[in-house]
Amino acid sequence: MTVVGWLQAAVVFALVCLLVKPVGAYMARVFEGERVFLSPVLAPVERGLYRLCRIDPAREMGWKPYAFSVVAFSLVSFLYLYVLLRVQAFLPLNPQGFGNLAPDLAWNTAVSFMTNTNWQFYSGESTMSYLSQMAGLGWHMFVSAGTGIAIAIALMRGLSRRSASTIGNFWVDLTRAVLYVLLPIAVVGSLLLLWQGVPQNFSGYTAVKTLEGAAQSIPQGPMASMEIIKELGTNGGGFVNANSASTWENPTGFSNLIELVCIFLIGGALTYTFGRYVKDQRQGWVLFAAMTTLFVAGFTAAYAAEAAGNPIVHALGVAGGNLEGKEARFGIAASALFATMTTDTSCGAVNAVHDSFTALGGLIPMFDMQLGEVVFGGVGSGFYGIIYYAILTVFIAGLMVGRTPEYLGKKIERREVQLAILAALVVPVFALVPAGIASVLPAGLATLNNAGPHGFSEILYAYSSMVNNNGSAFAGLSANAWWNVSGGVVMLFGRIAIMIPVIALAGALAAKRAVPATAGTFGTTSPIFVVLLIGVILIVGALTFFPADALGPIVEHLLNQQGKQF
Amino acid sequence: MVSRSRSLFDRSILFPAIRASFVKLDPRVQLRNPVMFIVEVGALVSIFYAFRDARNGQASFDIAISAWLWFTVLFANFAEAMAEGRGKAQAEYLRRTKTDTIARRLADGREERVPATQLRRGDRVVAEVNDLIATDGEIVEGAATVDESAITGESAPVIREAGGDRSSVTGGTRVLSDRIVYVVSANPGESFLDRMISLVEGARRQKTPNEIALSILLSGLTIIFVIAVATLAPFSIYAGATPSVVVLIALLVCLIPTTIGGLLSAIGIAGMDRVLQRNVLAMSGRAVEAAGDVDTLLLDKTGTITLGNRQATEIVLALGADDTIVYRSAYFASLADETPEGRSIVTLSLSKGAGDGSTVLPAGAVVVPFSAYTRMSGVDYADGSQLRKGAPDAIRAWISQNGGGRTDVLAADVDRIARAGGTPLLLADRGGILGCIGLRDILKPNTRVRFDRLRAMGIRTVMITGDNPLTASAIAREAGVDDFLAEATPETKMTLIKREQSEGRLVAMTGDGTNDAPALAQADVGVAMNSGTQAAKEAGNMIDLDSDPTKLIEIVEVGKQLLMTRGSLTTFSIANDVAKYFAILPAMFIAAYPAMDALNVMRLNPHSAILSAIIFNALIIVALIPLALRGVPYRPRGADAVLRENVLIYGLGGIIVPFIGIKAIDLILGGLLHLTGAN
């Protein structure tokens, strides 16, 4: 590990910290319909959209209509993308003349983008027309992120309102998330990326003859506009197969910095927005502190493992860290940082090949996802994920002070526990069960790149990534019908089966009275709460995966130490 | 109150409990508790595998695992049976006297003798000197002194009479004088005591809301671990290992929260037991749980904060008055006053020297009793002179009417006494004011300490009193309560409760009168005094057999302790999992991956590691039974301090203890294996 390496991480995180408050406060104003500096430009657009769609922005919804709207919107968006991918060959903006996608791949891809996962069983530059990229995938990158933010805001309303029957209007929340939050930042960010050299055009391949005389096709396309929302919306779906490791999507150290900051930006800022909603900033900072602790621990471990390198390579007389599968322009630190941040959040963009990390270095991204994507997490989904854990923490530890547990004055009772545990079940059920099937099913094993524990890691990583809507791949795993179909199902449940209970939770909490805090109340702003929250995330969340991890990266690491590799 | 704390493992409870532990193995009983049900299923499946493995020599391991799984279930059953046994013993003690009583039932004006068990609600029963009251009821005719020591342990007899707030009688108490007729208020098996007994008996016990929520959490965790363990089978097939079903069952049982799952119902029942030990009948487990959540305590001033009635503490002389005359006047003026206040003036004036002269009323003198209309009492002497004692404004008006003297004498003292929370009385004859008597409430000892403790627990205390606001505020200040409700009426009390509740607070109160009933019903925790009316008892959700209003504070503490015990053992149980992973996983996979030995941080013997973990898992339940039955030690403090301590003991302790325990068991097992020469 080097000082420069640590400095790179420090600069990125410092920028995130600086932006948390202004962006968080801005979002609080936006979602409560207050005036912000962009209102003069955007308010007329917003009003026009409502008129066009016949939405009454003043009419709020109970949790059931809210959840119904979310599901209906997701379903329609999914169908739209599925159809688009199946007929792209007949549509314009297809200079390379790509054909239609097969049904199983179209299913997988449409679910993947609808759920904010962006798992890609295809190479963008050799599969997707520019229309599919922009109007299909790009649309989902905005609205799936917007949906996540909307639900997070609905939950904040649920936590802050008293004896209320409504939690907001989904269409209004979604419109504002896209219009006021995602679009303006994306516009500025994509211009910065454009300046750094990310292409933005509708040209087909550029054919060049290399110095060696070989023919090469260089992909082109509207990349800068897609690139920024890929990180900002924690989508992660690359325009090209190499994702942010490619010189098109991520040409420089500065573009890398922009992308990293964007990955954490909204997830971090939402904790501040939360503080605004519940009128106690400490409540937000506590979540931020727990997230930060887990992030720093994860990065330290990943960086240390990658910097330490591979003992088998060392035995060959090559000293130094593990540079396999990393871009020389980023180096070990920035690659480990990207890997940690992209898996802490449900982003899943990559600037290095996680498959080529050392066993322990690869364990960290996998473990980060298995935490449930609550370390800043997906935009919106990270927030509501950590609230689930906060509720479980309050329920388990809160009893120890001798009162019915309360979170923010709301008593945590049967229904809240029911909903929280329902959501907690989703990740183990939809990651471990399909991984179990895939690890004995010939179709599951057919497309693995490696044998032994490393092959198992590829399976486990894939389902951990999909159920948590991360979308990063360990690589080394290729698509077939099994993976396309099962992956789609897992991504779908990983999203919807958590979202619906969370909206129900928002409704249940909103309906409750608030109990005023007393000296006898379990405080949720103390450092000890941070410790307990982390404890519950680790023991209840991640420890479930410990046996499986032990058979994958952990045993691989132990075998590497003995000089065996896979 | 009778102290009936019994030794934890009373033999009369122990043996039936051991028997009950086996009876409770019935899967239909276990189904109520999903966590332990899984363990029982695991134990059954292990037996099946023991038979199957009999040929390949693995059977001894299967049998050992299965045996310890059965023990795990038995230990959990034993904990529940112990709690039930203790509760029943406590209740039987209260019920003992009620059983074979013969009641004198009135039917069409005639009296017939019937066993108490045949009485029905609405029957009229007569009781005379030395008769036992057959069952709970309400007096409709007459008044009697009753010995309630069988219920309360208090030897002094109490008066019970028809009408008013002291009209209820309890089965098992004895009439000492006079004759009463009472109406039976409950059918056999439906009395308060019967309801309480059903709360501690397993079969009819309803889970409380918090218990249900916790059960849901535990069931959810169990499902998660079932998945984590079941999927290990295909994972290990991939790894080239042959998964043993018995080993997987062992891992599963170690991971699911058996410690809290096994003790949960015992904790709940034990909470009810502790309430019962304090001579309080709770109508539901929910009420006990709610007591832990109470934010506001409404405390009646009299009996809770102050010792009964007011006492005369000073007699101030008017300028120039002769002290003996004044004291004697005070004495004579109060002779006719039978109230405790009046008697305290007699006592005080005697101690000051009123008795130096004659204490006999002069011939022809007539005492004037206190009346609410005049608000005075006194003496009319034969010579026409008059002596009066009463409220200052009444005395002043009397002096003015009789044209005698200044009325502003001692006005400063009157003010001073009133401001200090006392009641000033003036003493006068027709010539003018002679002196001023100060009555004061005497605070119970340690009130301030008690209320400070409650405040540290985050509970607000509100004193309820019929006094005027001035007096009330002074006493409130002296006693250290947070707030007071002066000139309280049933209506203002009700309003206060509703206001507190609308702000999200839980309210507890005590009451005994019929007019308290609506407030008792409205309060989240309403403790009715056993001496109170039937209406009050029906309205409240607890009955204090000792009729001691301060009991409310103890009830709150029991409620808190109940929730704390649940939370602490849940935390402990979940924290235990860390060590168990490290015990079982390396042993499971060491054959497929010898490198896994690096995870064997406890350096356990791979042959005995799994069994060690299972044995620890079973024994920890037994080890924690005393804690479950007694509750975690409780000291009234703020939430932060309580949390820090419990997180250290049960959270951090929960992570560390199994590492030590499993290692110790493994060493012992290793020794045994060595001795028997196996492996």
Side-chain angles (χ1 to χ4, degrees):
Chain A
M1 292 192 275
T2 62
V3 175
V4 175
W6 279 104
L7 272 179
Q8 287 172 346
V11 167
V12 170
F13 196 67
L15 278 173
V16 172
C17 290
L18 279 178
L19 289 168
V20 159
K21 188 176 167 180
V23 176
Y26 171 80
M27 284 196 283
R29 292 184 70 85
V30 164
F31 288 103
E32 284 313 288
E34 293 167 32
R35 229 185 125 72
V36 291
F37 72 100
L38 288 172
S39 294
V41 188
L42 296 178
V45 182
E46 187 190 352
R47 277 196 299 274
L49 281 171
Y50 294 154
R51 211 165 301 137
L52 197 70
C53 305
R54 300 179 176 226
I55 295 165
D56 175 5
R59 214 170 95 196
E60 294 220 338
M61 298 171 171
W63 78 265
K64 281 178 190 160
Y66 203 104
F68 179 78
S69 305
V70 169
V71 172
F73 176 73
S74 300
L75 186 69
V76 171
S77 296
F78 158 79
L79 286 174
Y80 156 70
L81 179 57
Y82 180 82
V83 172
L84 183 64
L85 295 176
R86 299 279 289 129
V87 300
Q88 69 167 4
F90 316 123
L91 299 172
L93 287 179
N94 189 359
Q96 294 101 324
F98 295 132
N100 298 326
L101 271 67
D104 61 334
L105 182 58
W107 148 261
N108 186 283
T109 306
V111 173
S112 175
F113 280 78
M114 184 265 276
T115 56
N116 196 253
T117 312
N118 293 206
W119 179 276
Q120 294 168 292
F121 267 137
Y122 63 88
S123 292
E125 67 271 34
S126 57
T127 314
M128 292 289 169
S129 75
Y130 294 153
L131 186 74
S132 295
Q133 290 271 23
M134 293 181 81
L137 308 182
W139 158 264
H140 276 275
M141 285 173 144
F142 277 95
V143 295
S144 68
T147 303
I149 297 177
I151 294 171
I153 296 291
L155 183 58
M156 290 180 203
R157 291 199 188 103
L159 283 162
S160 57
R161 287 182 179 180
R162 287 156 191 211
S163 313
S165 57
T166 59
I167 52 173
N169 181 317
F170 170 67
W171 307 110
V172 173
D173 291 341
L174 175 67
T175 307
R176 288 182 179 153
V178 174
L179 200 59
Y180 286 86
V181 181
L182 298 171
L183 270 175
I185 303 177
V187 167
V188 177
S190 57
L191 289 174
L192 286 173
L193 290 178
L194 210 56
W195 163 52
Q196 287 300 302
V198 181
Q200 180 80 6
N201 57 44
F202 285 132
S203 318
Y205 295 130
T206 304
V208 293
K209 233 183 186 75
T210 62
L211 287 176
E212 293 91 1
Q216 193 179 358
S217 297
I218 296 176
Q220 299 285 348
M223 292 190 202
S225 58
M226 298 276 289
E227 184 60 26
I228 189 70
I229 190 65
K230 183 184 94 186
E231 275 82 18
L232 185 65
T234 61
N235 290 290
F239 196 93
V240 296
N241 193 35
N243 210 302
S244 284
S246 75
T247 43
W248 295 274
E249 289 196 26
N250 191 4
T252 65
F254 183 65
S255 68
N256 199 49
L257 174 77
I258 296 171
E259 293 183 9
L260 283 173
V261 171
C262 282
I263 290 176
F264 268 14
L265 181 61
I266 293 178
L270 278 173
T271 63
Y272 192 86
T273 312
F274 170 59
R276 276 288 162 96
Y277 264 94
V278 299
K279 298 194 175 57
D280 183 357
Q281 287 307 143
R282 291 173 307 169
Q283 300 286 358
W285 288 124
V286 159
L287 301 184
F288 190 83
M291 291 171 167
T292 303
T293 311
L294 287 167
F295 158 64
V296 172
F299 169 67
T300 307
Y303 186 25
E306 291 308 293
N310 186 337
I312 298 168
V313 177
H314 293 168
L316 299 173
V318 183
N322 175 29
L323 271 167
E324 183 196 317
K326 295 189 178 63
E327 293 293 305
R329 68 184 182 286
F330 303 133
I332 290 174
S335 299
L337 183 64
F338 206 112
T340 312
M341 290 175 69
T342 201
T343 50
D344 274 340
T345 63
S346 75
C347 181
V350 288
N351 78 347
V353 184
H354 295 179
D355 197 26
S356 299
F357 276 31
T358 60
L360 283 188
L363 169 66
I364 298 301
M366 177 137 66
F367 188 73
D368 282 341
M369 294 189 296
Q370 289 163 350
L371 292 176
E373 300 293 24
V374 293
V375 183
F376 298 96
V379 288
S381 61
F383 173 79
Y384 59 69
I386 204 163
I387 291 292
Y388 270 140
Y389 279 120
I391 283 176
L392 289 180
T393 307
V394 164
F395 186 76
I396 295 168
L399 276 176
M400 282 197 288
V401 307
R403 274 178 76 94
T404 300
E406 294 148 19
Y407 186 50
L408 300 161
K410 306 275 189 172
K411 278 204 188 321
I412 303 304
E413 292 166 301
R414 180 188 182 153
R415 184 161 170 77
E416 291 72 37
V417 173
Q418 223 164 19
L419 292 169
I421 205 77
L422 203 61
L425 275 169
V426 170
V427 170
V429 170
F430 290 99
L432 291 175
V433 173
I437 298 170
S439 57
V440 289
L441 193 75
L445 300 169
T447 56
L448 290 186
N449 212 12
N450 300 73
H454 197 82
F456 179 68
S457 296
E458 287 167 4
I459 297 175
L460 189 60
Y461 191 103
Y463 285 111
S464 299
S465 170
M466 290 191 267
V467 76
N468 282 298
N469 298 146
N470 179 283
S472 75
F474 217 42
L477 183 72
S478 323
N480 61 16
W482 158 260
W483 282 102
N484 275 332
V485 175
S486 73
V489 172
V490 167
M491 289 187 281
L492 191 64
F493 278 95
R495 179 81 163 176
I496 300 290
I498 292 186
M499 264 183 178
I500 293 176
V502 98
I503 301 171
L505 185 69
L509 290 168
K512 284 181 180 263
R513 294 186 305 198
V515 184
T518 67
T521 309
F522 172 64
T524 52
T525 54
S526 60
I528 198 163
F529 180 72
V530 178
V531 173
L532 286 169
L533 179 58
I534 293 173
V536 168
I537 293 173
L538 290 176
I539 293 182
V540 177
L543 217 54
T544 317
F545 287 90
F546 184 66
D549 289 345
L551 289 174
I554 294 175
V555 78
E556 186 189 352
H557 167 76
L558 297 171
L559 292 170
N560 280 165
Q561 301 300 315
Q562 297 177 352
K564 289 188 197 145
Q565 62 179 332
F566 301 90
Chain B
M1 166 192 159
V2 210
S3 170
R4 285 193 297 272
S5 59
R6 59 190 76 246
S7 113
L8 204 52
F9 294 103
D10 192 322
R11 291 166 65 93
S12 64
I13 299 173
L14 193 62
F15 294 116
I18 292 174
R19 213 187 129 257
S21 312
F22 286 92
V23 176
K24 282 169 188 277
L25 286 176
D26 185 339
R28 286 166 299 178
V29 178
Q30 291 300 318
L31 209 50
R32 278 166 60 91
N33 183 343
V35 179
M36 296 319 290
F37 182 73
I38 295 268
V39 180
E40 183 162 305
V41 170
L44 277 171
V45 175
S46 304
I47 291 184
F48 170 77
Y49 275 91
F51 281 113
R52 223 196 58 171
D53 290 345
R55 265 163 290 146
N56 59 24
Q58 272 292 310
S60 62
F61 174 79
D62 297 348
I63 291 168
I65 293 289
S66 179
W68 280 99
L69 295 185
W70 286 114
F71 279 131
T72 311
V73 182
L74 284 173
F75 291 159
N77 289 347
F78 177 66
E80 188 181 80
M82 280 296 291
E84 284 175 8
R86 283 159 62 85
K88 267 189 263 182
Q90 198 76 47
E92 289 303 336
Y93 182 92
L94 295 177
R95 186 148 69 170
R96 199 176 50 189
T97 45
K98 292 181 66 175
T99 41
D100 326 313
T101 321
I102 297 294
R104 298 161 60 187
R105 182 164 68 183
L106 292 175
D108 308 323
R110 282 179 303 109
E111 199 181 299
E112 54 184 20
R113 301 181 82 84
V114 294
T117 47
Q118 285 181 19
L119 292 175
R120 288 289 174 276
R121 190 186 175 102
D123 283 354
R124 293 161 67 89
V125 181
V126 66
E128 279 179 302
V129 180
N130 270 334
D131 281 345
L132 276 178
I133 304 278
T135 183
D136 295 358
E138 181 147 35
I139 302 176
V140 287
E141 226 181 278
T145 46
V146 178
D147 172 12
E148 295 194 338
S149 60
I151 298 289
T152 64
E154 183 64 57
S155 56
V158 291
I159 300 213
R160 293 281 174 256
E161 58 191 342
D165 290 347
R166 309 219 165 271
S167 61
S168 82
V169 285
T170 312
T173 58
R174 186 178 296 277
V175 177
L176 293 180
S177 73
D178 304 293
R179 174 183 190 273
I180 49 170
V181 176
Y182 59 93
V183 172
V184 175
S185 59
N187 290 330
E190 290 171 18
S191 73
F192 295 120
L193 196 57
D194 293 316
R195 273 151 74 181
M196 180 81 192
I197 290 170
S198 75
L199 287 180
V200 295
E201 274 176 349
R204 274 173 289 170
R205 208 171 69 85
Q206 296 271 314
K207 284 184 177 175
T208 59
N210 175 263
E211 215 174 347
I212 292 171
L214 190 53
S215 301
I216 291 171
L217 176 84
L218 299 180
S219 306
L221 291 178
T222 303
I223 296 172
I224 291 176
F225 287 122
V226 167
I227 290 161
V229 172
T231 50
L232 264 184
F235 294 169
S236 43
I237 291 171
Y238 175 95
T242 324
S244 147
V245 174
V246 177
V247 170
L248 288 176
I249 289 172
L251 176 63
L252 175 64
V253 170
C254 280
L255 294 181
I256 60 177
T258 47
T259 312
I260 179 66
L263 295 173
L264 186 59
S265 71
I267 294 170
I269 299 166
M272 305 293 293
D273 291 355
R274 284 197 296 276
V275 171
L276 203 50
Q277 271 166 29
R278 285 164 176 77
N279 248 359
V280 174
L281 302 183
M283 296 298 108
S284 69
R286 191 190 199 114
V288 179
E289 213 170 79
D293 283 347
V294 160
D295 299 286
T296 307
L297 276 187
L298 305 191
L299 300 168
D300 278 325
K301 185 195 77 176
T302 309
T304 313
I305 296 168
T306 61
L307 280 171
N309 297 294
R310 311 178 143 230
Q311 307 273 310
T313 52
E314 60 178 326
I315 301 178
V316 188
L317 309 179
L319 201 64
D322 178 276
D323 51 350
T324 314
I325 291 174
V326 174
Y327 294 140
R328 191 174 302 146
S329 302
Y331 172 81
F332 284 138
S334 306
L335 258 189
D337 187 348
E338 284 297 322
T339 64
E341 288 90 343
R343 287 198 208 124
S344 77
I345 299 174
V346 170
T347 314
L348 181 69
S349 54
L350 279 176
S351 74
K352 294 265 185 191
D356 290 359
S358 166
T359 55
V360 181
L361 267 182
V366 181
V367 293
V368 181
F370 176 84
S371 89
Y373 178 67
T374 60
R375 291 187 295 144
M376 294 185 294
S377 64
V379 187
D380 288 350
Y381 292 105
D383 60 0
S385 66
Q386 290 176 309
L387 194 59
R388 288 292 183 272
K389 175 209 78 179
D393 50 336
I395 293 290
R396 284 168 186 154
W398 181 75
I399 291 173
S400 312
Q401 272 165 26
N402 291 299
R406 293 170 53 189
T407 57
D408 59 347
V409 179
L410 293 176
D413 287 286
V414 168
D415 273 0
R416 172 181 58 79
I417 291 166
R419 260 201 309 278
T423 306
L425 297 176
L426 284 177
L427 186 67
D429 60 16
R430 300 189 83 145
I433 291 168
L434 295 171
C436 172
I437 302 167
L439 297 176
R440 284 183 61 90
D441 276 306
I442 308 298
L443 292 184
K444 285 192 154 182
N446 298 327
T447 51
R448 185 169 278 278
V449 178
R450 205 187 268 264
F451 297 135
D452 284 347
R453 253 170 52 177
L454 285 171
R455 197 168 304 114
M457 287 155 60
I459 295 171
R460 220 163 67 86
T461 45
V462 181
M463 182 182 83
I464 308 288
T465 170
D467 294 341
N468 64 59
L470 195 67
T471 310
S473 85
I475 297 172
R477 217 176 313 121
E478 192 181 348
V481 292
D482 297 306
D483 204 352
F484 62 89
L485 178 68
E487 289 165 355
T489 61
E491 291 75 35
T492 55
K493 225 167 165 177
M494 190 73 173
T495 315
L496 175 70
I497 294 175
K498 285 187 173 160
R499 197 187 69 216
E500 291 285 324
Q501 287 176 335
S502 74
E503 287 165 9
R505 297 194 179 88
L506 254 60
V507 181
M509 68 167 285
T510 59
D512 54 5
T514 301
N515 54 17
D516 281 334
L520 278 172
Q522 178 72 31
D524 301 282
V525 177
V527 183
M529 300 293 104
N530 193 45
S531 60
T533 60
Q534 198 62 34
K537 290 194 208 172
E538 295 281 356
N541 44 23
M542 292 191 204
I543 297 172
D544 179 16
L545 296 176
D546 298 336
S547 304
D548 171 9
T550 54
K551 202 73 79 58
L552 194 50
I553 298 169
E554 285 178 51
I555 295 171
V556 168
E557 294 185 351
V558 170
K560 285 202 172 294
Q561 200 186 22
L562 171 68
L563 294 173
M564 277 167 61
T565 308
R566 260 186 218 147
S568 301
L569 291 185
T570 305
T571 307
F572 184 84
S573 190
I574 293 172
N576 268 206
D577 279 0
V578 179
K580 292 171 185 168
Y581 275 114
F582 284 99
I584 295 187
L585 283 182
M588 240 175 121
F589 293 113
I590 199 141
Y593 296 121
M596 276 281 200
D597 197 43
L599 292 184
N600 184 4
V601 291
M602 285 173 268
R603 314 296 340 144
L604 303 175
N605 178 349
H607 300 291
S608 57
I610 295 171
L611 192 57
S612 304
I614 279 286
I615 294 176
F616 173 82
N617 196 54
L619 292 182
I620 196 74
I621 294 180
V622 179
L624 290 172
I625 288 177
L627 189 72
L629 295 188
R630 287 193 179 133
V632 299
Y634 177 73
R635 278 183 294 143
R637 280 173 303 167
D640 290 341
V642 174
L643 184 68
R644 258 194 306 277
E645 187 177 301
N646 285 341
V647 166
L648 268 185
I649 298 176
Y650 301 99
L652 195 61
I655 293 176
I656 295 167
V657 166
F659 277 103
I660 300 166
I662 293 174
K663 178 67 186 173
I665 293 169
D666 193 60
L667 286 175
I668 296 167
L669 280 183
L672 289 176
L673 286 178
H674 187 75
L675 280 180
T676 56
N679 292 308

